[in-house]
Amino acid sequence: MPGTCVVGLQWGDEAKGKIVDLLGDQNDFVVRFNGGANAGHTVVWGDRKFALSLLPTGVLKPHVQSVIGNGVVVYPPRFIEEVDKLRAVGIPVGANLMVSNHAHVIFPYHMEEERLAEANVDAKLGTTGRGIGPCYQDKVGRRNAVRVGELLRPDHLRERLRQIVPFKNRLMHAHCADASAEPKAFDANRLCDEYLGYAETLKPHVCDTARVLHEAFAAGKNVLFEAAQGSLLDVDHGTFPYVTSSSSLPSGIWSGSGVPSRAVTRIIGIVKAYTSRVGRGPFPTELDDGPTGIGERIRQIGREFGTVTGRPRRTGWFDSIAVKYTATLAGVDEITVMLLDVLSGLPELKLGIGYDLDGERITHFPSDSYDLERCKPIYETMPGWSEDITKVKTLAGLPTAARRYVDRIGEMVGKKISFVSIGPDRDQTIHLS
Ligand code: IMP
């Protein structure tokens, strides 16, 4: 069955949007199965730039069916805002965009819960503030969760919110017990009216997306699954607790869309030619070398600022141990190396090839954050290149040092490389297979 998954193998922001966009032409469906508006997918077409957060990247192409699966958490105002923005620039959005009736709904109290939890310095995770974690907490806890399908039943929704909102107000007061801050108070009826308004706009898009996808596979359609965040942020296998609250590995496809994993026959792992991370948590190859250092240079040239929050991303050298770990977890068939052009002009490059953990050299990834925090990187140094590579069309056209660097990444990770990206535009891509 023709299912493909595009998955980030680092801490997110690996430029997955570009690859999904490139592959979009070969696919009838593009599906999101995890996360919500915490993601930021950027697509550049010539002088047009699109930044999507909640909607699947496929929505830019009206002939592609775009699906927000049941594993996604949906903030309706954001959904409407993104749809409106696309329509305003001439991209039609209609029946080509579907939302699962089983996806869970984010309410403003989720964001408030998150704000209050993050205000506690000791428990701070550096989240995006989009209410993602609290909404997934409610999903798993079941009692206070609302699914998208429930927005379409006005009386039922009002009753649910009348139960949930007073409880949430009490919970937020408890969060603030030791702080002087007053939490926002929410009114169930007002919230219900607001969300019933959103429901009118959402209604034509809401359906049983699992059934739609089963029918698509039965009809031999090509389906692309777009993982949000990166594998190192996966709630089970990432650097817990500094992770997101969903399964960002391809394992999330089954639960987050209802499509069995054996339907996915091609898994493409996306990596940057270096590493970035936004939010807290261990990052052994981080370049914390000040305002004139290489870390800052990569941040500026790579425009490493969060698409969602605008936060400066932490930057560092490529960590082949981390990527080998996630490539194995994700079961990738191939990898793509993104943003290679950002490294042009550096006299030498470093590649993480192991760690020193309490005096012992290790070559596996300790996914336990408390061990990872104590890991010191062991590097291999390679020569850099000074040429502008942004117009190169073939691998052979790259400077020898750049080619060697790409080859070494493939060798270290043990996977073939299918694309090398040398700039944000679609045309700035070297196809290797
Ligand atoms: P949350 O997903 O907002 O709960 O944030 C949890 C962690 O995941 C934080 O470190 C965020 O910065 C990070 N995170 C969430 N979404 C993304 C993403 O799309 N790219 C990169 N980091 C992300």
Side-chain angles (χ1 to χ4, degrees), residues 11-13 38-40 114 125-129 132-133 229 233 243-244 278-280 311:
W11 278 288
D13 310 311
N38 50 347
E114 183 171 345
L125 299 176
T127 62
T128 60
I132 306 295
Q229 289 80 53
L233 292 172
V243 292
T244 192
V278 58
R280 286 195 168 187
R311 287 180 292 177

Side-chain angles (χ1 to χ4, degrees), residues 189-332:
N189 278 320
R190 212 172 305 143
L191 209 53
C192 183
D193 293 341
E194 183 186 334
Y195 272 63
L196 287 176
Y198 302 143
E200 282 307 304
T201 314
L202 253 70
K203 196 172 177 178
H205 304 280
V206 178
C207 61
D208 177 354
T209 52
R211 185 151 60 85
V212 169
L213 290 172
H214 295 160
E215 286 169 4
F217 275 102
K221 302 284 186 198
N222 290 318
V223 181
L224 180 71
F225 294 91
E226 176 180 21
Q229 289 80 53
S231 301
L232 291 169
L233 292 172
D234 181 90
V235 67
D236 285 290
H237 299 286
T239 49
F240 192 89
Y242 303 103
V243 292
T244 192
S245 296
S246 67
S247 299
S248 49
L249 281 159
S251 52
I253 293 175
W254 201 327
S255 57
S257 75
V259 173
S261 55
R262 66 175 164 273
V264 180
T265 50
R266 183 182 180 195
I267 300 180
I268 306 170
I270 316 294
V271 298
K272 271 180 183 164
Y274 50 92
T275 311
S276 72
R277 172 165 207 173
V278 58
R280 286 195 168 187
F283 177 176
T285 60
E286 180 167 14
L287 274 159
D288 203 0
D289 52 358
T292 54
I294 296 174
E296 185 58 31
R297 179 192 164 114
I298 291 177
R299 186 175 302 115
Q300 294 302 331
I301 298 177
R303 292 175 294 277
E304 294 294 351
F305 297 88
T307 329
V308 172
T309 58
R311 287 180 292 177
R313 296 181 188 139
R314 299 156 64 192
T315 53
W317 296 118
F318 186 86
D319 185 340
S320 66
I321 302 301
V323 172
K324 204 169 168 181
Y325 165 72
T326 50
T328 306
L329 278 171
V332 304

Side-chain angles (χ1 to χ4, degrees), residues 4-7 14-27 42-43 57 61 224 226 266 268-271 334-338 418-421 424 426 429-431:
T4 301
C5 175
V6 169
V7 56
E14 298 92 351
K16 298 178 284 292
K18 173 170 172 174
I19 298 298
V20 173
D21 178 54
L22 277 176
L23 298 173
D25 296 334
Q26 304 157 18
N27 286 281
T42 307
V43 175
T57 310
K61 296 180 179 143
L224 180 71
E226 176 180 21
R266 183 182 180 195
I268 306 170
I270 316 294
V271 298
E334 62 206 79
I335 61 171
T336 76
V337 178
M338 313 300 286
S418 50
F419 298 97
V420 176
S421 177
R426 306 182 66 151
T429 314
I430 303 173
H431 297 245

Side-chain angles (χ1 to χ4, degrees), residues 36-251:
N38 50 347
H41 292 170
T42 307
V43 175
V44 179
W45 294 346
D47 55 4
R48 300 183 82 187
K49 186 172 171 186
F50 305 94
L52 297 169
S53 202
L54 176 60
L55 304 188
T57 310
V59 77
L60 298 173
K61 296 180 179 143
H63 64 278
V64 171
Q65 300 293 306
S66 290
V67 175
I68 297 180
N70 59 279
V72 175
V73 283
V74 175
Y75 183 50
R78 183 75 200 182
F79 177 96
I80 295 167
E81 186 190 325
E82 286 189 27
V83 168
D84 286 348
K85 270 193 186 156
L86 290 176
R87 287 183 179 146
V89 295
I91 304 226
V93 183
N96 59 318
L97 176 62
M98 289 170 252
V99 187
S100 168
N101 53 348
H102 288 180
H104 283 257
V105 181
I106 297 182
F107 288 91
Y109 52 72
H110 288 127
M111 293 177 198
E112 182 66 356
E113 267 180 81
E114 183 171 345
R115 186 181 74 80
L116 296 171
E118 286 283 289
N120 177 350
V121 175
D122 295 332
K124 194 174 167 71
L125 299 176
T127 62
T128 60
R130 294 287 168 103
I132 306 295
C135 184
Y136 278 118
Q137 263 171 255
D138 281 346
K139 171 180 173 173
V140 179
R142 296 153 299 156
R143 289 183 177 82
N144 298 311
V146 175
R147 288 173 155 193
V148 167
E150 291 176 90
L151 296 180
L152 308 184
R153 298 188 190 119
D155 293 342
H156 164 86
L157 180 68
R158 197 168 299 276
E159 199 178 313
R160 294 284 295 127
L161 288 174
R162 279 182 182 155
Q163 288 163 5
I164 295 168
V165 172
F167 169 77
K168 290 288 181 183
N169 283 336
R170 287 197 299 278
L171 185 76
M172 282 181 280
H173 263 285
H175 260 309
C176 290
D178 301 325
S180 52
E182 265 298 298
K184 279 186 203 152
F186 295 92
D187 178 86
N189 278 320
R190 212 172 305 143
L191 209 53
C192 183
D193 293 341
E194 183 186 334
Y195 272 63
L196 287 176
Y198 302 143
E200 282 307 304
T201 314
L202 253 70
K203 196 172 177 178
H205 304 280
V206 178
C207 61
D208 177 354
T209 52
R211 185 151 60 85
V212 169
L213 290 172
H214 295 160
E215 286 169 4
F217 275 102
K221 302 284 186 198
N222 290 318
V223 181
L224 180 71
F225 294 91
E226 176 180 21
Q229 289 80 53
S231 301
L232 291 169
L233 292 172
D234 181 90
V235 67
D236 285 290
H237 299 286
T239 49
F240 192 89
Y242 303 103
V243 292
T244 192
S245 296
S246 67
S247 299
S248 49
L249 281 159
S251 52

